[in-house]
Amino acid sequence: PVPPSEFLPAFEDAGAMGTLSAFMVKQALGALRSWDDNDVYIPRVGVNFSSVELANPGLIEAVQEQLATFDIGAERLCIEVLETVVANEVDAIVVSNLAALSQMGCGIDLDDFGTGHASITSIRRFSIERIKIDRSFVSQIDEDQEQQDMVLAILMMAERLGLSALAEGVETQSEEAMLARLGCTHVQGFGVAHPMPISETLGWI
């Protein structure tokens, strides 16, 4: 396997991030359509959007076309945005696109939360629905009291702001169990499943 840390810079250097994002949306919505057609209901899929793609003036039209092609409601597509994107000075087109995606009904997730210094104002400004707690806070949380305290503080903040929360990078059952005890009911990571071809997903589900 080639990790994103290696292949994403190659896409960026080639000016192909927009092509990659469009492909990922197509794959994600195609997966939803396949599951629906097999009577397996998955409420929502998430797709990472880069800052380059979020600054594309044609993004909204392209997403709407993909949703129509697969006959999928916008509420079943979640846009994952890196915290570093909204923490920095943001292009007006990015602001407009995120607002339009939210108004369409797409969910907006703040990815890698805790690494980019996004303010609460930013969270409100971009209609964030869920924060994804970065794996650096989750690793060995079953053994580290400081990690537990940090995650608990993030969960309390999210609750007060009316946000959902998901823990990233969960790799063991004991990490998942500790997160559940802390009140984090949504997790992702190798402890749940490794990446797999779409053809294998139905059997796994």
Side-chain angles (χ1 to χ4, degrees), residues 36-56:
D36 283 357
D37 291 345
N38 283 277
D39 297 322
V40 174
Y41 181 70
I42 304 299
R44 177 179 279 185
V45 294
V47 178
N48 290 93
F49 273 37
S50 70
S51 56
V52 173
E53 183 60 7
L54 288 170
N56 176 8

Side-chain angles (χ1 to χ4, degrees), residues 119-146:
S119 67
I120 292 175
T121 302
S122 296
I123 292 174
R124 289 298 188 212
R125 181 185 182 193
F126 295 104
S127 302
I128 303 298
E129 291 184 11
R130 181 170 66 177
I131 56 174
K132 301 181 70 176
I133 303 169
D134 187 71
R135 62 176 301 169
S136 61
F137 296 101
V138 173
S139 178
Q140 298 182 323
I141 192 171
D142 53 320
E143 302 173 359
D144 190 326
Q145 182 64 52
E146 185 175 347

Side-chain angles (χ1 to χ4, degrees), residues 59-141:
L59 175 64
I60 302 304
E61 182 179 356
V63 171
Q64 289 173 330
E65 287 180 1
Q66 294 270 38
L67 290 168
T69 296
F70 290 99
D71 192 22
I72 298 290
E75 72 281 356
R76 297 182 68 192
L77 176 64
C78 184
I79 309 303
E80 300 186 3
V81 184
L82 286 172
E83 187 184 13
T84 50
V85 172
V86 300
N88 301 325
E89 187 170 342
V90 182
D91 187 288
I93 297 176
V94 173
V95 176
S96 174
N97 277 341
L98 284 171
L101 288 165
S102 178
Q103 289 167 5
M104 281 169 53
C106 295
I108 309 292
D109 277 6
L110 189 59
D111 204 6
D112 294 350
F113 182 80
T115 62
H117 313 294
S119 67
I120 292 175
T121 302
S122 296
I123 292 174
R124 289 298 188 212
R125 181 185 182 193
F126 295 104
S127 302
I128 303 298
E129 291 184 11
R130 181 170 66 177
I131 56 174
K132 301 181 70 176
I133 303 169
D134 187 71
R135 62 176 301 169
S136 61
F137 296 101
V138 173
S139 178
Q140 298 182 323
I141 192 171

Side-chain angles (χ1 to χ4, degrees), residues 11-28:
F11 274 92
E12 290 174 354
D13 291 344
M17 288 301 293
T19 302
L20 177 62
S21 292
F23 177 78
M24 293 305 299
V25 171
K26 181 179 179 180
Q27 291 290 100

